[in-house]
Amino acid sequence: MQIGKAFSYPFDDPDWMKKIGIAAAVMLIPIVGGIVVAGWGVEVARRVIHREQYPLPEWNDFMGYLVKGLKMMVITLVYMLPIILVSICPSVLIPFASDQGEDTIMTIVTIVSACLSCLVLIYALLVGLVLPAAMGKFAATDDLKAALRFGQIISMVRTKPMVFVMVLLGGFLSSLIGSAGSIACGIGVLFTVPYSIAINGHLWGQAYLETGQDQVYAPTMQM
């Protein structure tokens, strides 16, 4: 893994300012903009997997990026669904216990909620390792179902666990960069968020290659 490369590669592209600038402009589109830029990040991963010289994509397939972004949301939702469901439980149980007026019930509910919070934290860390593998698989195959074959995805992580630990750490650093733009009255976010997404895409692509995956089905998009 070349963590540093994921942060520096955009600046090797002679058109990086234009590509990041367009991504910033797309981010201004309500709701859809963020989804499109997310799909653009998936295309970064695909280009890394194909070992293209400049992984930062051109903005010549808006609808294609939109579709990729929507599929990426579905993948994320599926993997995050247990967290969502478990997180809902305390919000239901605590008001119920309060209505009962029983201290014992309230204590039990509080303990259960604390235990669930621990489980959510553990699962969130696991998702942080597994989700990049799923995104890499999706980027390589352009197949939503392939990203949801949990056994295969977990097997990828088990093959090179430290690779995905590095991806998790790199993703954490990229999220700090993405949020740093808020310092400039929020305007900087339009540029730092696409840069952060581009970093993550590169990390996903690298991780996919590190696991020795040799099946790449996604057609090369028009340059």
Side-chain angles (χ1 to χ4, degrees):
M1 284 289 292
Q2 296 178 299
I3 297 295
K5 185 67 174 179
F7 288 80
S8 65
Y9 84 91
F11 310 112
D12 296 333
D13 191 324
D15 293 327
W16 73 269
M17 291 186 67
K18 180 188 74 173
K19 294 175 180 179
I20 295 292
I22 294 175
V26 172
M27 288 286 295
L28 292 172
I29 304 174
I31 303 176
V32 174
I35 299 173
V36 173
V37 176
W40 177 75
V42 174
E43 173 62 9
V44 169
R46 189 198 68 80
R47 292 167 68 92
V48 170
I49 292 167
H50 281 272
R51 297 181 174 86
E52 299 194 20
Q53 182 180 6
Y54 298 121
L56 209 61
E58 293 284 357
W59 280 94
N60 55 1
D61 190 13
F62 187 93
M63 290 305 299
Y65 298 154
L66 176 60
V67 172
K68 286 179 183 288
L70 289 171
K71 290 182 178 179
M72 178 182 169
M73 289 179 61
V74 171
I75 295 168
T76 303
L77 178 61
V78 170
Y79 279 91
M80 295 294 290
L81 191 58
I83 292 179
I84 296 171
L85 295 176
V86 171
S87 298
I88 292 174
C89 290
S91 63
V92 175
L93 292 175
I94 292 177
F96 172 77
S98 299
D99 292 340
Q100 298 302 311
E102 293 286 346
D103 291 339
T104 303
I105 295 177
M106 189 63 185
T107 300
I108 293 174
V109 169
T110 301
I111 294 173
V112 170
S113 298
C115 292
L116 289 176
S117 297
C118 292
L119 289 175
V120 166
L121 178 59
I122 294 171
Y123 184 78
L125 290 174
L126 292 175
V127 169
L129 298 175
V130 173
L131 196 55
M135 293 304 179
K137 192 72 170 180
F138 170 58
T141 63
D142 197 27
D143 183 357
L144 182 63
K145 292 181 180 179
L148 299 178
R149 294 190 178 104
F150 305 116
Q152 293 182 14
I153 299 304
I154 292 173
S155 178
M156 286 175 60
V157 177
R158 292 178 62 184
T159 299
K160 292 288 184 71
M162 288 309 300
V163 165
F164 290 96
V165 170
M166 293 174 70
V167 172
L168 178 62
L169 294 175
F172 175 71
L173 292 175
S174 73
S175 68
L176 294 180
I177 292 173
S179 60
S182 60
I183 297 175
C185 301
I187 298 175
V189 172
L190 295 175
F191 297 92
T192 57
V193 168
Y195 174 50
S196 174
I197 290 172
I199 292 170
N200 284 326
H202 200 280
L203 291 171
W204 299 341
Q206 283 195 63
Y208 183 86
L209 292 175
E210 287 287 336
T211 58
Q213 301 292 310
D214 58 359
Q215 293 180 322
V216 181
Y217 302 107
T220 302
M221 297 174 66
Q222 183 180 357
M223 296 290 292

